[in-house]
Amino acid sequence: MGTHDGLRNHFRDAFAADPLGAYRDWFRAQEELREGTDGDAARALADDLWEMLPGLALGPPEARARFFHNAAVFFGSPGPAADLFRARSAFTESLVHFSSHSDSGWHARTLHNFATALSNLGTTEADLRESVSLFERALEWRTSEREIARGVSLHNLGIALRRLAELDPANAPAHLEASAAALREAVAIRRRHGLAEGLSLSEKHLMLTLERLSSERDSCGPVQTR
């Protein structure tokens, strides 16, 4: 029996018996494997989950949509088992339910996390444009009445726009101006709510965007900023 076979067999049995409970333990195991730099085991467990996913007994549609969302977040996060194709497929499955569901909070959360996965793992201009579009859709619900969640989406949107500037250099100044605007609003929200850690992070990313915009200005001439 291989080094990881015992762990894989354990989770195969656990998912067959109780998928929701098994996922919590599986996710903790993935975190431990990542911290221990055991990428082979992490990928093997991820492959098993992906293979089992369509046939798992996940209960009513909302529970199924949430499970697919959580799996999508895992596959869409940087790490040894990251896989944008799998993340996209699972987020799409989740949105089939939440796009028409009364819980618009879950709809916005799914859009936000889908956009974040594309921003983290996307490698093409099309990936980053899709990420920006999804963030903008999430922000239609994450209004000033939901400021803390709005600040998170604005922060991540600012990062996505800066990445888009790298992949679409012809329009880099416009993307960077939009990035700065999103990050400024995120900074204002996080300062208003006393969110020190988030504020520091947003200020850092705003500085990175402004430095890049300054560089663009130096190479292309004056750029009108907001």
Side-chain angles (χ1 to χ4, degrees):
M1 180 177 286
T3 305
H4 307 130
D5 285 354
L7 189 61
R8 294 177 72 179
N9 289 336
H10 164 75
F11 279 112
R12 285 170 182 161
D13 292 342
F15 275 113
D18 176 16
L20 301 181
Y23 184 81
R24 290 189 291 270
D25 293 339
W26 181 90
F27 188 81
R28 283 193 292 269
Q30 284 284 8
E31 290 184 320
E32 291 172 3
L33 291 169
R34 181 164 53 187
E35 291 173 2
T37 66
D38 193 343
D40 289 342
R43 285 186 290 272
L45 289 180
D47 289 344
D48 285 346
L49 174 59
W50 187 251
E51 181 180 336
M52 292 184 290
L53 194 53
L56 292 178
L58 299 173
E62 181 167 345
R64 178 180 176 83
R66 291 189 184 196
F67 191 98
F68 271 81
H69 165 271
N70 293 339
V73 169
F74 170 80
F75 285 115
S77 299
D83 189 312
L84 185 54
F85 171 81
R86 291 176 175 178
R88 180 188 292 280
S89 298
F91 276 125
T92 300
E93 177 73 20
S94 181
L95 284 170
V96 167
H97 175 75
F98 287 125
S99 62
S100 59
H101 192 264
S102 59
D103 188 347
S104 55
W106 263 98
H107 184 204
R109 182 182 294 114
T110 305
L111 291 170
H112 168 90
N113 287 327
F114 190 177
T116 300
L118 287 162
S119 178
N120 285 337
L121 303 181
T123 58
T124 68
E125 180 185 337
D127 288 335
L128 270 295
R129 286 191 180 279
E130 184 179 7
S131 173
V132 168
S133 176
L134 290 168
F135 277 127
E136 290 172 345
R137 288 171 60 191
L139 286 164
E140 291 175 6
W141 189 84
R142 292 184 165 185
T143 63
S144 58
E145 295 178 356
R146 304 171 179 88
E147 267 207 328
I148 293 177
R150 181 174 179 82
V152 175
S153 288
L154 286 164
H155 174 91
N156 288 15
L157 172 60
I159 295 171
L161 284 162
R162 192 171 65 242
R163 285 213 62 211
L164 178 57
E166 297 171 2
L167 296 168
D168 181 25
N171 297 299
H175 298 319
L176 291 167
E177 288 171 6
S179 172
L183 287 163
R184 285 192 184 101
E185 188 177 348
V187 165
I189 289 170
R190 289 174 164 184
R191 181 178 291 122
R192 187 156 52 247
H193 288 273
L195 303 172
E197 184 175 352
L199 173 60
S200 177
L201 195 57
S202 291
E203 289 176 333
K204 173 185 174 181
H205 279 281
L206 176 58
M207 180 184 68
L208 291 172
T209 290
L210 292 175
E211 287 175 351
R212 176 69 193 281
L213 184 56
S214 177
S215 177
E216 286 291 328
R217 233 187 246 119
D218 290 341
S219 62
C220 302
V223 175
Q224 184 178 357
T225 58
R226 297 180 183 180

